[in-house]
Amino acid sequence: MGGAIGLAVTVVANPILYRHGILANWRPGMDVIDTAFINNIDVYLSFGIGLTFAITLISLGNALRPAIRALRKHMGRRKALDGSLAVDRQPGAWRKLFINNPKRGDFSIFIALGIYATTCATWIGISAWLIDGFPWRFFIGYAIFFTPVISYATAKLEGLVGQAVSIPMIREATYILSGYRGVQIWFTPIPYPDYGRATVSFRILELTGTKIKSKVKTQLVTIPVIIIASLIFSQLLWSMAPVPSDVYPFAQKMWDLMAKNMCLTYSSTMEGGSLFFEAFKLNVVGWGLGAGVVTYVLLTLLGLPTLLVFGVVRGLGQTTPAGIPLEFIGALLGRFYFRKRFGDRWMKFTPVMLAGYACGMGLVAMVGMAFAILNRMMSPLIF
């Protein structure tokens, strides 16, 4: 519903914005690709960033409130048991951080820290070796301070309230603040990920009785197979026909839009004029931030689902409009037909149906791809 509302607002707002000169670069006759890119530069990039910041603030508030309550309850129980918080300062308290879980097959935390330090040093070293003037000091500080802090905060929120907060535009801000000028930095393996979400996979390992060592062994077996298979199939697909071409209709249609959007972002670290900073308008970001917060407050006061705000971000000029109407029809069928027919059990069926549908689509896609590759490879022999 949120995506449908966002799409409807876009359809109504675009002509109004054009008449008022806000969508100044659009011209009649432009196709979907050019329209989406031009409107993104004029309005929707900045407005979407503002909405994303609003969602981040909302998510942060929703996550911190139960986290603060849980911490207060924990502190209260500790006071009741010990009469003070001095137990936190006992020498043995910090030792618990280094205790392994034998049931989960943990290895030493010092090994984990060594792996993290080695990988970060390796990626930063390779980047500094490949790129002249690479700001390696900035990224060493980033790897030492920011990544561990944001990973710890995310892991804490996942454990306390089952949700985490992602900071929008963190990659773009990192590269811009690093002071580097050039496009090469966007293709370097920088250690900027948030490892806190991996706590969910740790919990899955515990519930399934799988040891971490078994997961590591699985990765050691599957990653080489994936790398080799990816190289082989990429070479086969590339040899079948030029990319983009009519043989690959999706790439032929959408590659141009994807490339333009990527170049728009990459221009933020280029010297001279930057299309990204031309598209980044603080007043439009403020309007997006205010619209997201006000909409959330109104939905909360009216008792309506606040997840509408999340859907509006996706539908509001951020995507091509073809898929959202079909999702909207499916949502209506589920709510007003299947929900009435199967009752509350329908909500339990939908995850299973989604998993089955995804597996079926994957199998059909792989079979179709195999037939397409065989057909293209055999056609020269036939003729």
Side-chain angles (χ1 to χ4, degrees):
M1 291 298 298
I5 292 173
L7 178 61
V9 171
T10 303
V11 172
V12 174
N14 278 356
I16 299 174
L17 295 174
Y18 175 71
R19 284 196 295 268
H20 285 78
I22 298 176
L23 296 178
N25 293 312
W26 184 83
R27 296 292 180 268
M30 285 186 175
D31 61 4
V32 174
I33 304 302
D34 291 333
T35 298
F37 179 69
I38 291 298
N39 291 350
N40 196 35
I41 292 176
D42 287 339
V43 172
Y44 291 109
L45 174 68
S46 299
F47 196 81
I49 291 174
L51 282 176
T52 306
F53 274 113
I55 289 177
T56 302
L57 294 176
I58 293 167
S59 302
L60 185 63
N62 291 338
L64 287 180
R65 281 198 300 268
I68 293 173
R69 287 197 296 266
L71 287 174
R72 286 179 176 176
K73 185 182 293 185
H74 175 71
M75 301 285 276
R77 287 199 302 264
R78 180 164 288 185
K79 285 182 179 180
L81 292 173
D82 303 306
S84 69
L85 297 178
V87 67
D88 287 338
R89 295 186 290 270
Q90 291 180 0
W94 288 99
R95 296 176 184 173
K96 295 180 180 180
L97 295 174
F98 304 96
I99 295 177
N100 299 331
N101 185 347
K103 295 182 179 179
R104 199 170 58 191
D106 292 357
F107 47 81
S108 172
I109 189 173
F110 296 103
I111 296 177
L113 292 174
I115 293 172
Y116 174 73
T118 302
T119 52
C120 289
T122 301
W123 294 128
I124 295 175
I126 291 175
S127 300
W129 176 56
L130 293 175
I131 301 177
D132 294 333
F134 181 76
W136 56 271
R137 294 181 181 86
F138 177 87
F139 286 100
I140 287 178
Y142 192 91
I144 293 175
F145 296 104
F146 182 81
T147 299
V149 169
I150 194 65
S151 298
Y152 175 78
T154 304
K156 198 73 173 178
L157 290 174
E158 286 280 8
L160 289 173
V161 297
Q163 58 179 310
V165 177
S166 60
I167 302 176
M169 305 293 290
I170 184 63
R171 183 189 182 197
E172 291 78 4
T174 300
Y175 291 166
I176 293 171
L177 293 175
S178 69
Y180 180 81
R181 289 295 174 263
V183 74
Q184 293 88 347
I185 195 171
W186 295 93
F187 303 96
T188 55
I190 303 302
Y192 64 86
D194 178 4
Y195 294 104
R197 298 180 185 275
T199 54
V200 178
S201 62
F202 278 105
R203 184 58 177 161
I204 294 174
L205 292 178
E206 290 181 347
L207 293 174
T208 57
T210 305
K211 291 185 177 181
I212 294 179
K213 295 179 180 179
S214 300
K215 185 176 179 64
V216 172
K217 292 177 183 177
T218 304
Q219 296 290 329
L220 294 176
V221 173
T222 56
I223 288 177
V225 175
I226 292 173
I227 293 175
I228 296 173
S230 299
L231 293 174
I232 293 174
F233 278 96
S234 298
Q235 182 62 30
L236 286 174
L237 294 174
W238 192 265
S239 301
M240 285 168 51
V243 182
S245 67
D246 56 355
V247 176
Y248 305 104
F250 179 83
Q252 187 179 25
K253 190 69 176 178
M254 301 302 295
W255 192 328
D256 187 40
L257 177 62
M258 294 179 181
K260 287 180 178 178
N261 287 330
M262 291 173 67
C263 290
L264 173 65
T265 306
Y266 296 166
S267 69
S268 61
T269 56
M270 298 295 291
E271 296 181 355
S274 172
L275 190 60
F276 177 83
F277 288 110
E278 293 179 10
F280 186 81
K281 304 176 179 67
L282 284 177
N283 58 335
V284 181
V285 173
W287 279 105
L289 177 61
V293 173
V294 170
T295 303
Y296 177 81
V297 173
L298 289 177
L299 291 174
T300 303
L301 295 176
L302 296 175
L304 296 175
T306 56
L307 288 176
L308 281 173
V309 181
F310 294 79
V312 169
V313 174
R314 187 171 62 93
L316 196 63
Q318 302 299 306
T319 182
T320 52
I324 292 181
L326 299 177
E327 294 181 1
F328 179 67
I329 293 172
L332 293 179
L333 287 174
R335 176 65 180 85
F336 296 106
Y337 177 73
F338 291 104
R339 186 75 177 270
K340 290 182 179 180
R341 182 172 181 180
F342 297 103
D344 292 337
R345 292 186 302 166
W346 169 247
M347 302 305 294
K348 298 179 180 179
F349 295 160
T350 51
V352 180
M353 292 180 61
L354 177 62
Y357 179 79
C359 291
M361 285 290 292
L363 292 174
V364 170
M366 293 300 102
V367 172
M369 188 181 299
F371 277 111
I373 292 174
L374 291 175
N375 181 48
R376 291 289 174 179
M377 292 177 65
M378 294 176 64
S379 56
L381 300 176
I382 297 175
F383 299 101

